[in-house]
Amino acid sequence: MKNKTVAAWLAFAGGPLGLHRFYLFGMWDTLGWLLPIPTALGFYGIERVQQYGLDDMASWWLIPLAGFTFAACALNAIVYALMTPEVWNRRFNPSANEEAPAGQTSWLTIGAIVCSLLIGATVLMSSIVFSFQRYFEYQIEEAQKISQ
């Protein structure tokens, strides 16, 4: 039996590593194995910023990858947590009764929704702001070079 609360928390806390996908679809889930790639690239972008500073253009593209992956997994946690018990059990527990307790919503499930919404929205907005800020600063620097 796949528990909705466990899946929501795995998507929120371990989503960028694909843990929720492995829990729901098994160890041979392709997307579960692909999720750590953008996460690792994003952390590599953070490492590049620490080594080369904020002017490193590759980090502008790499850091948001991790942010968008975190935000997508938080959204996935919200979607899982808001599924009705009937839909959840029909999709992930097909041999169980539609009213099985694994698909029920508890306070822990609501906690997963709240944390996913708060952290996911913050990470998403931060990633967008970082990308656009660095892009526009770069455009200003290039315009200043042309005007001189």
Side-chain angles (χ1 to χ4, degrees), residues 22-145:
F22 297 137
Y23 175 71
L24 294 173
F25 302 107
M27 289 301 294
W28 300 110
D29 182 57
T30 306
L31 188 58
W33 287 107
L34 292 176
L35 272 172
I37 294 171
T39 305
L41 288 173
F43 284 118
Y44 175 65
I46 293 170
E47 185 178 317
R48 286 186 63 95
V49 165
Q50 292 173 346
Q51 288 178 352
Y52 304 115
L54 285 174
D55 292 333
D56 180 41
M57 191 179 298
S59 67
W60 304 352
W61 295 101
L62 293 174
I63 290 175
L65 287 176
F68 294 143
T69 304
F70 276 97
C73 290
L75 177 63
N76 216 353
I78 293 169
V79 169
Y80 288 155
L82 291 177
M83 279 186 182
T84 63
E86 296 83 18
V87 172
W88 176 266
N89 287 323
R90 203 174 318 127
R91 183 167 178 195
F92 296 110
N93 299 317
S95 62
N97 181 7
E98 285 190 352
E99 294 296 325
Q104 299 296 323
T105 301
S106 68
W107 284 106
L108 287 173
T109 315
I110 302 301
I113 293 170
V114 170
C115 290
S116 297
L117 187 59
L118 289 172
I119 304 298
T122 302
V123 169
L124 178 64
M125 294 308 294
S126 299
S127 298
I128 292 170
V129 166
F130 177 79
S131 299
F132 281 118
Q133 177 185 354
R134 295 307 308 157
Y135 173 75
F136 288 119
E137 286 176 359
Y138 175 75
Q139 292 298 320
I140 290 171
E141 289 171 7
E142 291 301 314
Q144 287 174 346
K145 287 178 187 176

